[in-house]
Each structure stands twice: as structure tokens, then as C-alpha cells.
Amino acid sequence: MQNRRGILFILSSPSGAGKSTLARSLMEWDNTLSFSVSATTRSARSGEIEGREYFFKTNKEFLMMVDKNEMLEHARVFGNYYGSPREPVETAIESGKDVIFDIDWQGGQQLKNSTLADDSVSIFILPPSLHELRQRLFSRGQDSLQVINDRMKKCYSEISHWAEYDYCLVNRDLETSLEEIKSILRAERLKRHRQLFLVDMVRDFDNERETIL
């Protein structure tokens, strides 16, 4: 018998606050976790591999998937589309596997309103300050100054959605934040409604009671 349903584990934050690093670290800690690979219309960055970081699509291909209801969520961010293919996520959850989503607030909101809402757990990651956030964006060396400025202009709008999440963590220190997320995952896995075996187990207790009383 399957012990439980899987968890749709949502991590969101403004760009540079640490959600992607935390998601990778969480998967290194527990290799039963799988990562929801998003589709996107942006160009691949150096070192990114098709099907590992993203499924890279043209605008036409992406919008066709949306029209066919093949996306669990999707959004347009900084001029590009991002979205989560539906089928692999539903299959994983139904088979008891936990899936991590590294997505923005728009995607998180759509997942919370989707058919998998009851399976979802959401965490918003805040930076310790906007100054620290800007410094992190510069330090990772992935984006131009214009892109960094655009991200900073948008970050407060993203942060304004923090209260829509089940949990909110301030990422002052990566290791501390990781331990906090581990604690959340452990507790969520033990919630009564996710442990599918309990109904049959308690029913067996009733049958057993007849033989011992």
C-alpha cells in the first residue's frame, strides 16, 4: 500500500534571495525529492542543459502547451514565459513523491489555485535587506547591470506577496535557512491527511479489538 501522497513543495523569492540554492541543497540532503523542471522561452545560459535546468521552447511552442492545458502554471517574467508541465508533476504526487518548485509568486499563486492545491506547501524566502539582495545579484555574475537594475525595481512588488505563503523565512544564513526548510518538510510529511495508510490501520485496530476484549 502507498504510505502517503506526495507534496508539491513551492519555494519563491525575489531573484537573488536564495531559493534556487536552497532547492538544490534540499535535494542533495534528500535524494527522493524531485525537481519540477520548468519550460521557458528565454535563451539558455552558459552551462545550462536542455531538460536539466529548463525545457527551452519557442514562444509558439510554449503558447501551444498553454492552449492544450499542458501547463500546471505559467507566467511572463522579464519578457519571457516560464511554466511547469502538468503531467510529470501529477504523476509524481499521485505516486507519493515530493516535487520541489522554484518559481515566482505568480506561479506559486496559480499552483495554490490549481487541482493540486491540497498537496501544496509554500515557502517565501526573504533577503535580510535590499542592499544585501543587490550585492548577491552582482556577486553571482550572471546578469548585466541593466538586468540587475530591472530585477531590483521589481523585487519589492514580489516581496509584497510574502503573506500569501504558508511559511516565510529570512535567508540571513544559508545553512540555518536550509535546516528550517528541512524541519518544515519533515512536519508536512507527517500531516494526517497525507498518510494514506492511517484509515486502514485504524480500521484494522477495530477488527483486532474484537479478538482481545
Side-chain angles (χ1 to χ4, degrees):
M1 180 189 298
Q2 181 181 321
N3 285 335
R4 66 176 178 87
R5 279 183 67 82
I7 298 172
L8 193 156
F9 208 59
I10 303 166
L11 294 179
S12 298
S13 75
S15 183
K19 69 180 183 301
S20 298
T21 301
L22 287 166
R24 288 193 298 269
S25 298
L26 198 61
M27 292 181 67
E28 290 172 3
W29 168 69
D30 184 346
N31 60 16
T32 68
L33 292 165
S34 61
F35 187 76
S36 175
V37 180
S38 297
T40 183
T41 59
R42 78 157 170 80
S43 300
R45 292 173 179 154
S46 177
E48 289 183 333
I49 296 174
E50 167 73 17
R52 187 181 69 182
E53 281 79 17
Y54 289 98
F55 297 109
F56 296 99
K57 304 292 183 181
T58 64
N59 278 359
K60 182 178 179 180
E61 290 170 336
F62 190 99
L63 294 174
M64 188 176 296
M65 292 180 73
V66 172
D67 288 343
K68 292 181 177 179
N69 198 31
E70 294 175 358
M71 290 291 187
L72 197 56
E73 57 80 25
H74 68 280
R76 188 177 176 92
V77 183
F78 298 114
N80 294 299
Y81 288 107
Y82 294 82
S84 303
R86 177 183 296 275
E87 184 179 2
V89 177
E90 290 182 338
T91 299
I93 296 298
E94 289 168 4
S95 63
K97 296 179 181 177
D98 302 326
V99 182
I100 298 177
F101 282 77
D102 170 1
I103 54 177
D104 71 353
W105 71 268
Q106 296 175 77
Q109 195 174 70
Q110 289 182 54
L111 289 173
K112 279 293 192 177
N113 292 321
S114 75
T115 55
L116 296 179
D118 290 343
D119 301 304
S120 69
V121 175
S122 60
I123 302 177
F124 196 89
I125 310 297
L126 285 169
S129 69
L130 296 184
H131 176 79
E132 175 66 20
L133 181 65
R134 186 178 181 85
Q135 187 57 43
R136 289 178 185 178
L137 290 172
F138 273 111
S139 297
R140 69 186 189 180
Q142 291 182 343
D143 300 308
S144 67
L145 178 60
Q146 182 61 53
V147 170
I148 289 173
N149 287 337
D150 288 343
R151 292 186 186 280
M152 289 302 301
K153 288 176 183 176
K154 191 172 182 179
C155 75
Y156 195 76
S157 173
E158 295 171 324
I159 288 171
S160 70
H161 294 275
W162 68 273
E164 299 166 13
Y165 285 70
D166 299 320
Y167 301 90
C168 188
L169 304 178
V170 180
N171 184 21
R172 297 184 178 90
D173 172 76
L174 187 65
E175 290 304 315
T176 300
S177 296
L178 180 59
E179 289 305 314
E180 290 172 342
I181 292 176
K182 289 178 185 179
S183 296
I184 292 169
L185 182 57
R186 291 187 187 104
E188 290 289 343
R189 284 172 167 172
L190 292 173
K191 281 193 170 177
R192 175 182 51 78
H193 73 275
R194 292 199 172 94
Q195 299 190 68
L196 303 179
F197 69 94
L198 288 176
V199 172
D200 288 336
M201 185 175 183
V202 173
R203 186 180 296 116
D204 288 342
F205 285 168
D206 285 340
N207 295 333
E208 188 179 10
R209 181 183 60 177
E210 299 299 325
T211 68
I212 63 176
L213 294 179

